[in-house]
Amino acid sequence: MTSNAFSVFARGVIAGATALLLGVIGWGFLSGELGSAGPLVLGDPFGVARGASGDLEGEDLEGGVLVQDERADTIWVFDPVTGDRRGEIAVARPFLEMVPTPGGVSVFTVVEGAAELEVYSTTEYHHEATIELESERLGAGAQTEHLLFSENGDTLFVTWRNSPVVSVYSHSMRELSLRHEFEIPESSGPLLRNRRATRLYRSTPDGPAVVFARNGELLETISASPAAWRFNSGYTHLWGVDEHGGVQLVEERTSRLAQPDLPSAAEGEPVFASGAETAFVLSSGGRRVAAFESRTGRLIREIELPSAATHLVSSGAGTVWAVDEHGEVSVIDPSVPALQERFALQDAVPKTVVSSIVQREGSFACF
Amino acid sequence: MSNENNARNNSPAAAGGPNADSAGDRVLHLTNEVCPYTFVKSKLALEEAAPGSILEIHLGNSESASNVPRSIELEGHEVLGIDQPEAGHWVVTVKRA
Amino acid sequence: MIIAAALALGLLLGYALQRGGFCMNTAFRSFVYEKDRSLVRAWILVLVINIIGVQLLTELGVLYPQVAPFFWPAIILGGFVFGVGMVLAGGCASGTYYRCGRGMLGSTGALLGFALGTAVVDGGALLGLQRVLRAPTLDVGGREATVFNLLGIESLGARWALLGALAAVAVFWLARAPKQRFVIGWGWMRTGAAVGLLALAAWLVSALAGREFGLSFTQPTVAITRFLVAGDSSGISVASYMVIGVPIGALLAAKAAGEAILRLPEPRTLLRQFGGGVTMGGGASIAGGCNIGHSITGVSTLGIGAIVATVFIMIGSWAMTWAVLRSERGRA
């Protein structure tokens, strides 16, 4: 009977699909792609680039890696996969910091010595807006220092030079309105946030202070030595590298501090590639990149670089870029982790490097 | 529709139940309905029916064909039989309590 | 390979949904209107497997579940609207997908409506509504609104004591279930176990692709719609491939059981199902998820938002079922 033949066929398909599913999940566990079993260094047998949405192709990614040039008033835009130059943004005024919006369509720059921001398009490469920031507490003469967007970009947190004040603005289409301000006593440097930006973190001499984002109420101060801090991609652990190259690790849920052992001094802010569970930190004067497990701090391996890197960034295409002062890029595959390839960024002398990939589904919309 | 005629000819007799065409009984054609209308219409039909009368419900999907009789039985009515005269067509015969 | 696994998972899920007749519309309705709890049991079993599984995998560091923000006006209104829509559409989001696969053209109409409704609210003409309703969010002391954070449970022991107690109550209730009568295909236990394990597998397959969530239907539907209509593939993820597999698996199961038949409902019914689909899609896009994204995957993260959304999906479905009963009574 045909229905019998079909039901045999259907069973075959179901058995095949089950085997495939179990096989892929089993492979995930064995290779360390799932869980902390530790990588068995199988390489990437399926050639799957791990980005926020699975396979990524360079041409699918709008925006790119933005490089502020040391010599000229220029931001170069490079392809995050191939390193090819995509465009050039002429900068209206010199800036201290560039911060892409979470959607990646624009980049906000902090104008030196002012309370103003210049905004540029990362896809059309032109100037979009000049925004004047006002602070009720600081009044005129305040100088903007650092910016931090909430996950969906509807809130912008601003800190000021030599000031413990945090100003919270509502943001929509490059327009800002001051919502409220508060002080985090004795704090300085950039702000960090948890995933939903309901808590903020800022360095104090005693360690990072933790406050409610909605009213600035101090929740606690995590006891740690001064360091450059950053959250891992799962927002489960706060990573810090202190001035002696010591790595500190704080579990978000408990605020417990761990200090993993290190064979060599680390430098700069740790970097996390999207979706990966590995932290990368420069070490040995930029000649190496140390790769750690982001939840335990266990050193996975150190990767030798052909030249001393000055910048370490997540490219936004699932890889990590170690960029040297001449614009030579060593691309690291975070899943192995190992050096994958090397290319040069045409004409760029990098001063600052950030990735700004356009995320059409960047923020939480729906499950 | 042809399959409904088909069902009417052969189902209740095959189940050994009473003749569906006898007076006072009702036939409910819900083959093209989906949940929750299958449930709603059967429930209302049973409410209207006289106690002891027989209702024949034609259903077009397996979920309804298992959920409707289960639900009806738990309401205290008697499910006399479930037939499948052809693929994708179920006939539930119920006696109103 | 991961894409193939996602498609395989969707196919298996479609097969299981069809074999088990896993309809959450019926499950939710039966709380109030019926005495049969078979589908409720299947759902509870799915939850037990997933809550324990997801929490365990989180403790082990395999998953970092993403928790939907508790934007309460959107959750309450969107959940209610989704519940209303699912009654009119003749099936929940997952139910609509698998019934569509076995040839029920009314469900195909509902699916097209669902796709339209989600796209209109999520990034479409009614985006403003979504924004406004989602503006007020609640959290617990600046942390995500989850049951653990709400109860202030931080220690490993206390977390598992609570989970153990919940699971024990659920298993006790399930174990007391009377024998299920009139089973066609799979009984509740087999259905719940199969759907539960597949939902858990969806977390793992997603994690392999860097997506920190489990099974969902709403976002993948929006993504597929946008891709088909505007060529915008940015939202396509592993979850989209899972969703594509569902009707195929359902067709396979239905064909093996001889239930794969093209069925065209009356024009009125078709229109009602389409409208129900639009309503359901709009509600899901406001609330940020459907009966799967919130009521299975979201609940397994113990997110307050997902739990509240589930309650309001139920309330919506009860209200609409009541209205349907009333109007049918009036007609008779």
Side-chain angles (χ1 to χ4, degrees):
Chain A
M1 263 173 74
T2 48
S3 73
N4 262 343
F6 188 83
S7 107
V8 171
F9 166 73
R11 269 179 214 168
V13 173
I14 292 307
T18 311
L20 174 66
L21 185 60
L22 291 176
V24 168
I25 291 174
W27 165 78
F29 274 108
L30 285 178
S31 65
E33 281 294 306
L34 284 174
S36 43
L40 292 177
V41 198
L42 288 176
D44 191 0
F46 305 130
V48 179
R50 267 155 301 274
S53 48
D55 298 305
L56 292 173
E57 297 284 341
E59 58 266 32
D60 289 347
L61 300 172
E62 288 180 77
V65 177
L66 310 182
V67 176
Q68 177 189 16
D69 202 282
E70 182 82 59
R71 304 157 305 180
D73 294 333
T74 294
I75 298 171
W76 304 105
V77 183
F78 293 96
D79 186 299
V81 175
T82 63
D84 293 339
R85 197 160 87 192
R86 283 183 167 171
E88 174 185 357
I89 303 168
V91 172
R93 283 191 284 174
F95 60 87
L96 296 169
E97 181 183 60
M98 53 179 172
V99 178
T101 55
V105 188
S106 303
V107 61
F108 281 45
T109 62
V110 176
V111 175
E112 258 179 74
E116 280 179 301
L117 309 174
E118 299 286 0
V119 184
Y120 305 96
S121 162
T122 63
T123 52
E124 322 237 321
Y125 317 125
H126 59 65
H127 182 256
E128 287 185 313
T130 302
I131 301 172
E132 278 185 46
L133 293 176
E134 47 182 309
S135 163
E136 280 174 9
R137 292 204 180 202
L138 296 172
Q143 295 180 18
T144 310
E145 195 172 42
H146 295 290
L147 308 180
L148 173 73
F149 280 104
S150 62
E151 186 186 38
N152 59 9
D154 65 4
T155 307
L156 180 68
F157 302 96
V158 175
T159 54
W160 309 85
R161 220 178 110 118
N162 300 325
S163 165
V165 170
V166 175
S167 305
V168 184
Y169 298 86
S170 298
H171 167 238
S172 174
M173 301 302 286
R174 299 178 293 280
E175 301 221 342
L176 298 178
S177 60
L178 185 63
R179 211 185 292 161
H180 58 270
E181 291 185 316
F182 50 79
E183 279 185 26
I184 307 177
E186 295 188 79
S187 68
S188 62
L191 278 173
L192 295 177
R193 60 166 171 85
N194 63 358
R195 174 143 50 192
R196 303 273 176 230
T198 48
R199 292 181 167 212
L200 298 176
Y201 303 72
R202 197 180 190 205
S203 285
T204 71
D206 303 321
V210 187
V211 303
F212 276 150
R214 61 168 178 269
N215 57 14
E217 181 192 331
L218 184 69
L219 291 163
E220 61 178 321
T221 301
I222 299 165
S223 181
S225 50
W229 294 96
R230 188 168 281 191
F231 262 110
N232 67 348
S233 3
Y235 289 90
T236 57
H237 289 79
L238 196 56
W239 274 72
V241 178
D242 67 26
E243 55 189 1
H244 309 295
V247 168
Q248 305 171 85
L249 183 57
V250 177
E251 192 187 10
E252 192 275 337
R253 185 143 76 173
T254 57
S255 299
R256 252 199 309 269
L257 180 78
Q259 277 168 312
D261 269 344
L262 265 190
S264 58
E267 298 148 28
E269 278 184 49
V271 162
F272 302 87
S274 61
E277 299 170 8
T278 315
F280 296 89
V281 181
L282 281 177
S283 66
S284 311
R287 294 306 299 249
R288 289 176 169 193
V289 171
F292 302 91
E293 282 182 9
S294 76
R295 276 164 290 118
T296 61
R298 191 178 73 85
L299 183 76
I300 300 169
R301 68 157 55 151
E302 286 192 283
I303 302 157
E304 292 281 345
L305 298 178
S307 59
T310 48
H311 300 90
L312 193 64
V313 290
S314 170
S315 71
T319 56
V320 172
W321 284 15
V323 187
D324 75 8
E325 57 182 347
H326 307 296
E328 290 275 331
V329 180
S330 302
V331 179
I332 294 163
D333 176 353
S335 64
V336 182
L339 210 56
Q340 192 181 46
E341 59 176 320
R342 225 172 124 74
F343 46 67
L345 299 176
Q346 191 193 338
D347 290 341
V349 179
K351 188 174 175 190
T352 52
V353 185
V354 293
S355 173
S356 179
I357 304 300
V358 176
Q359 311 262 330
R360 298 284 176 213
E361 302 275 322
S363 62
F364 173 88
C366 286
F367 287 137
Chain B
M1 274 170 79
S2 65
N3 58 356
E4 284 170 11
N5 292 332
N6 237 339
R8 202 174 294 185
N9 291 340
N10 60 23
S11 79
N19 190 340
D21 292 321
S22 65
D25 290 345
R26 256 192 87 186
V27 180
L28 206 55
H29 290 289
L30 303 175
T31 37
N32 285 329
E33 288 288 356
V34 285
C35 101
Y37 285 80
T38 45
F39 153 77
V40 167
K41 289 189 174 165
S42 337
K43 182 184 163 83
L44 292 179
L46 271 172
E47 280 175 13
E48 288 161 17
S53 66
I54 309 289
L55 182 68
E56 185 183 304
I57 309 167
H58 291 251
L59 296 162
N61 64 77
S62 52
E63 294 98 318
S64 301
S66 66
N67 293 337
V68 168
R70 202 155 50 224
S71 182
I72 286 173
E73 193 185 53
L74 289 168
E75 295 288 338
H77 308 293
E78 192 183 349
V79 176
L80 298 173
I82 304 173
D83 279 305
Q84 192 181 6
E86 64 189 326
H89 182 181
W90 286 264
V91 183
V92 178
T93 320
V94 189
K95 188 174 175 192
R96 166 79 152 93
Chain C
M1 206 49 138
I2 291 171
I3 289 173
L7 272 171
L9 195 152
L11 190 122
L12 291 172
L13 181 68
Y15 191 89
L17 292 175
Q18 164 65 22
R19 292 294 289 159
F22 188 73
C23 172
M24 289 178 63
N25 185 10
T26 306
F28 289 171
R29 177 186 66 234
S30 69
F31 271 111
V32 173
Y33 293 96
E34 290 175 70
K35 293 190 177 120
D36 174 32
R37 296 277 178 276
S38 303
L39 286 163
V40 178
R41 289 191 180 97
W43 177 53
I44 296 290
L45 183 57
V46 169
L47 287 186
V48 169
I49 292 171
N50 278 270
I51 292 175
I52 300 291
V54 168
Q55 296 303 323
L56 187 67
L57 289 169
T58 307
E59 302 283 6
L60 293 174
V62 177
L63 302 176
Y64 308 98
Q66 215 183 335
V67 179
F70 184 25
F71 25 58
W72 58 273
I75 293 272
I76 289 175
L77 185 75
F80 185 85
V81 169
F82 180 87
V84 167
M86 115 183 147
V87 172
L88 293 171
C92 50
S94 49
T96 296
Y97 263 91
Y98 84 76
R99 283 184 194 143
C100 180
R102 75 169 183 227
M104 296 181 71
L105 296 173
S107 293
T108 309
L111 181 61
L112 291 174
F114 183 66
L116 178 67
T118 50
V120 164
V121 174
D122 192 26
L126 294 181
L127 179 64
L129 184 67
Q130 190 195 46
R131 287 244 166 93
V132 168
L133 290 170
R134 285 185 179 190
T137 56
L138 292 177
D139 55 57
V140 179
R143 291 177 198 263
E144 285 169 332
T146 66
V147 171
F148 287 149
N149 287 342
L150 185 68
L151 300 178
I153 295 177
E154 292 210 340
S155 77
L156 191 75
R159 281 206 295 276
W160 284 94
L162 178 69
L163 289 174
L166 279 175
V169 170
V171 169
F172 178 72
W173 181 70
L174 291 178
R176 288 185 48 213
K179 189 166 164 40
Q180 191 181 2
R181 306 249 294 142
F182 312 117
V183 177
I184 299 173
W186 292 352
W188 67 263
M189 202 184 282
R190 202 161 163 195
T191 309
V195 174
L197 290 174
L198 286 167
L200 196 57
W203 278 97
L204 296 171
V205 173
S206 298
L208 279 172
R211 177 177 173 270
E212 301 299 347
F213 202 66
L215 208 57
S216 72
F217 276 75
T218 308
Q219 187 278 334
T221 304
V222 181
I224 293 168
T225 310
R226 274 195 207 141
F227 174 65
L228 293 177
V229 174
D232 171 11
S233 65
S234 59
I236 301 285
S237 67
V238 275
S240 314
Y241 295 99
M242 292 179 197
V243 164
I244 291 168
V246 169
I248 304 171
L251 175 64
L252 204 65
K255 212 159 162 74
E259 210 194 335
I261 296 162
L262 283 176
R263 260 183 218 289
L264 185 65
E266 281 173 32
R268 259 185 89 90
T269 308
L270 183 63
L271 193 64
R272 186 196 76 215
Q273 288 193 277
F274 175 77
V278 175
T279 312
M280 187 162 74
S285 280
I286 290 169
C290 60
N291 60 305
I292 300 289
H294 274 317
S295 309
I296 289 182
T297 313
V299 171
S300 56
T301 66
L302 297 178
I304 305 286
I307 294 169
V308 174
T310 303
V311 169
F312 278 88
I313 290 174
M314 284 186 193
I315 294 175
S317 81
W318 298 336
M320 194 62 220
T321 305
W322 177 82
V324 168
L325 263 169
R326 215 180 116 102
S327 82
E328 290 290 324
R329 262 206 190 104
R331 191 175 297 168

